Amino acid sequence: MADIESPCNKICAVDPVSALCVGCGRTLAEIEGWIRFSAEERARIMAELPLRLATQSDSERADVG
């Protein structure tokens, strides 16, 4: 496996409420296992990330407001 597409954007911090990385939206288990996942599993996770990040952003705005 030469190149593995990763959503990591080097903003690595885990939100204590959602347990998701605030930069990429993955769980710690997904981050840790990324290199071992099949292309299909990585694609499934990648497809879920925009909604995870949007939901996380909505929660942060609700906490502030």
Side-chain angles (χ1 to χ4, degrees):
M1 229 183 269
D3 260 345
I4 298 175
E5 182 182 352
S6 172
C8 182
N9 58 10
K10 310 293 190 237
I11 302 173
C12 304
V14 176
D15 176 72
V17 175
S18 68
L20 297 174
C21 175
V22 298
C24 69
R26 293 180 293 171
T27 66
L28 288 176
E30 290 168 343
I31 293 167
E32 186 270 329
W34 193 256
I35 198 162
R36 293 187 311 275
F37 293 157
S38 68
E40 292 80 19
E41 184 68 6
R42 289 193 307 268
R44 182 194 60 76
I45 294 167
M46 292 286 285
E48 293 175 4
L49 296 180
L51 180 58
R52 290 182 190 181
L53 289 170
T55 302
Q56 188 172 358
S57 296
D58 291 344
S59 298
E60 289 172 2
R61 281 193 292 273
D63 290 343
V64 173

